[in-house]
Amino acid sequence: MEKQLNVSAIKDGTVIDHIPTKALFKVVQILKLDEFNNMVTFGNNLDSKAMGTKAIIKIANRYFEDEEVNKIALVAPNAKLNTIRNYEVVEKRVVQIPEQVNGIVRCFNPKCITNAENVSTKFQIINEKPIEMKCYYCEKITYENEIKIK
Ligand code: CTP
Ligand code: ZN
């Protein structure tokens, strides 16, 4: 059977694959894709052998530095980045959870200063699987299933 793409192939740019379906819009938020003028296409609830269902995002004519894209590991730890040039996949990268996370995630502690005042959050990752992040300000731990994007 001929292989068919659910979301059209792109000529040049980045394909972010293997995103958990629940994380699709969090990834959009983290990467601020709503502010891009590039062509962005995405699909959700696509069949995946490894994950059951998955989401995928394709960004035309845009490439990402590790630092910029590693932030999505907080919500899409198995995401794969494919660099596309002239329709070919020329590079595949996995995302890595950074050691420190600035902004992006809310501190789970309602009494934390970052929830009361206009102070950007700052966390140290103390465990990767599942994610446990320690707030620099209140020292409380935010766990993976509590992660809310700011
Ligand atoms: N892709 C695309 N446009 C292209 C080439 C590839 O949108 N010109 C997408 C494919 O649809 C796929 C991803 O980029 O979602 C990776 O492509 P490929 O490596 O060919 O697919 P797989 O082998 O299935 O990838 P994986 O490493 O995830 O198994
Ligand atoms: Zn805090």
Side-chain angles (χ1 to χ4, degrees), residues 93-141:
R93 279 185 287 161
V94 291
V95 293
Q96 264 170 339
I97 295 168
E99 278 169 29
Q100 213 191 304
V101 176
N102 297 326
I104 306 168
V105 176
R106 273 177 204 282
C107 178
F108 192 68
N109 173 14
K111 295 198 176 112
C112 180
I113 184 167
T114 60
N115 285 314
E117 285 172 37
N118 193 14
V119 177
S120 193
T121 57
K122 198 164 158 185
F123 299 94
Q124 193 195 347
I125 302 292
I126 56 168
N127 195 54
E128 287 200 4
K129 240 180 186 171
I131 295 166
E132 294 178 17
M133 36 207 308
K134 185 176 180 184
C135 177
Y136 172 86
Y137 295 98
C138 70
E139 302 196 321
K140 292 273 187 301
I141 311 289

Side-chain angles (χ1 to χ4, degrees), residues 41-122:
T41 50
F42 59 77
N44 202 8
N45 300 315
L46 307 178
D47 287 330
S48 158
K49 277 193 202 106
M51 307 167 74
T53 57
K54 67 170 184 182
I56 191 165
I57 303 175
K58 304 189 180 189
I59 306 128
N61 303 312
R62 180 70 153 81
Y63 305 93
F64 295 85
E65 300 290 336
D66 282 344
E67 198 188 89
E68 193 177 9
V69 88
N70 277 344
K71 297 182 269 187
I72 73 168
L74 295 171
V75 297
N78 301 314
K80 235 190 229 174
L81 250 84
N82 300 275
T83 302
I84 315 288
R85 293 194 197 270
N86 203 19
Y87 290 106
E88 298 286 327
V89 179
V90 296
E91 189 192 33
K92 275 181 188 283
R93 279 185 287 161
V94 291
V95 293
Q96 264 170 339
I97 295 168
E99 278 169 29
Q100 213 191 304
V101 176
N102 297 326
I104 306 168
V105 176
R106 273 177 204 282
C107 178
F108 192 68
N109 173 14
K111 295 198 176 112
C112 180
I113 184 167
T114 60
N115 285 314
E117 285 172 37
N118 193 14
V119 177
S120 193
T121 57
K122 198 164 158 185

